Amino acid sequence: MSENTKIEWADHTFNPWEGCQKVGPGCDHCYAEARNARFAGGKSVNWGPGAQRRRTSAANWKKPIAWNAAATDFMVAHGRRQRVFCASLADVFDNAVDPQWRVDLLELIAKTPHLDWLLLTKRIGNAHAMLDAALEVMSHGLTEWAEVPWPNVWIGVTVVNQEETDRDIPKLLAVPAARRFLSMEPLLGPVDFYQSSATWSAAGYMPWRNRPILGGIDWVIVGGESGAGARPMHPDWVRDLLDQCEAAGTPFLFKQWGEWAPGECATNTLDMRTVQVADWFVDDWKFDAIPGSSEFHIDDEPTLYRAGKRAAGRLLDGVEHNGFPEAS
Ligand code: SF4
């Protein structure tokens, strides 16, 4: 699916800069921060309040121009436009970034109309004002983002639980964009969009396009956490989100189980070693270890096995879910 990135839902990853600061539970095991430390002798020098963000090289900034130039070849090969995931090692709407860098990024986006730019943030509350501010100083003379939901800019927000969903979707709906999407990874709890809709209405937001549930959201991506310390994701949370998306007609992409997987996704390579398991009791996880044995059989109990990301895969009840919105 991907040409120059391991991200399942994008063809390229572009990082205009590197560095960030943790802003919520979804950041607890930030891959980008760990990577930053790995390349800087053990200390994540571009992370946290006051830490200098690092702009990437001029050569890196030229890559999207080359991808844009190859648009015809890509279209012939794949029958669609290229998707660029912007800022996997940072946040486009980070307050600590030099505002001129955002201006430069929007200039680049303007110069690459054959790419769909996916700006995914955990700071959606900053997005509208920062886009307006950047556009004011751009050479195009555009002063209001509201007047230019550029056809190649998709805006997404990461939400990991009900609280963040209730808080951030109204902010996402307020930002003009060709497509709006949710990345629910790592999913840390159940999310009910009916409940969110009630919260949005109470806050004065009207249902979008007369669709009360998931209205205005064009795409939902769901995934579990991987890596050391990964937290489990209950299969029922994922099934429930799939049901809600299907009811609303919203494309749904299941990216991965991550470290923990239900029985049918855990392979029998676990048979001969101690297996970490996780059971959901009422409202929290209970962890245990089952000694390995040739008699050991994986089944639906316990809720999840620590299978590892590769073995766990991305099947939900035997089905791959690869929903995408139509290109803008
Ligand atoms: S917003 Fe993203 S890049 Fe920044 S700390 Fe959180 S997970 Fe890491």
Side-chain angles (χ1 to χ4, degrees), residues 24-315:
C27 300
D28 282 358
H29 304 133
C30 176
Y31 150 84
E33 182 187 25
R35 180 187 180 280
N36 192 248
R38 215 167 43 246
F39 285 98
K43 186 173 183 314
S44 45
V45 291
N46 303 114
W47 244 262
Q52 183 78 37
R53 310 313 190 220
R54 182 185 70 82
R55 182 166 167 140
T56 55
S57 68
N60 187 54
W61 277 69
K62 286 185 182 145
K63 287 179 183 172
I65 302 289
W67 302 333
N68 188 68
T72 304
D73 288 347
F74 189 94
M75 180 63 83
V76 168
H78 300 272
R80 61 172 177 80
R81 291 162 58 84
Q82 299 164 84
R83 291 182 288 262
V84 179
F85 172 27
C86 185
S88 64
L89 305 176
D91 193 316
V92 171
F93 303 110
D94 179 1
N95 304 71
V97 166
D98 181 342
Q100 182 59 45
W101 295 3
R102 241 180 323 268
V103 173
D104 296 343
L105 175 61
L106 288 185
E107 295 275 10
L108 180 62
I109 290 172
K111 283 182 200 149
T112 53
H114 300 304
L115 305 177
D116 283 332
W117 284 83
L118 280 58
L119 312 187
L120 176 61
T121 182
K122 284 194 176 75
R123 295 167 171 83
I124 191 64
N126 291 346
H128 205 318
M130 286 184 174
L131 289 168
D132 279 351
L135 285 164
E136 269 181 30
V137 295
M138 281 178 68
S139 56
H140 300 270
L142 306 169
T143 54
E144 273 294 329
W145 184 254
E147 292 172 12
V148 273
W150 290 359
N152 64 334
V153 176
W154 302 17
I155 307 268
V157 61
T158 299
V159 289
V160 301
N161 55 30
Q162 186 76 52
E163 183 188 351
E164 290 188 351
T165 305
D166 292 349
R167 183 194 68 198
D168 285 350
I169 287 188
K171 297 174 187 171
L172 175 63
L173 296 180
V175 184
R179 297 284 180 273
R180 296 186 189 81
F181 63 103
L182 303 180
S183 172
M184 308 181 83
E185 181 188 8
L187 184 65
L188 299 179
V191 173
D192 179 353
F193 290 115
Y194 282 93
Q195 185 177 321
S196 293
S197 292
T199 310
W200 309 338
S201 298
Y205 289 94
M206 297 297 290
W208 199 265
R209 295 183 204 154
N210 298 319
R211 290 189 300 156
I213 305 160
L214 283 177
I217 304 298
D218 300 294
W219 191 23
V220 173
I221 302 164
V222 175
E225 194 165 37
S226 51
R231 293 157 286 185
M233 173 178 67
H234 199 298
D236 286 348
W237 303 344
V238 188
R239 293 182 185 116
D240 190 43
L241 285 171
L242 171 64
D243 288 348
Q244 294 182 64
C245 286
E246 286 184 341
T250 305
F252 176 90
L253 187 146
F254 183 48
K255 181 167 171 260
Q256 63 174 30
W257 281 108
E259 196 69 18
W260 298 86
E264 70 270 17
C265 297
T267 72
N268 58 12
T269 56
L270 295 172
D271 282 3
M272 297 305 292
R273 59 183 166 89
T274 299
V275 182
Q276 305 294 319
V277 297
D279 273 305
W280 181 254
F281 280 107
V282 187
D283 61 357
D284 206 355
W285 291 105
K286 179 176 176 298
F287 296 93
D288 211 341
I290 300 176
S293 151
S294 57
E295 301 299 312
F296 180 74
H297 293 294
I298 290 175
D299 55 25
D300 286 339
E301 298 292 339
T303 311
L304 292 169
Y305 297 80
R306 184 158 200 154
K309 176 182 164 175
R310 186 183 297 265
R314 53 189 298 265
L315 294 179

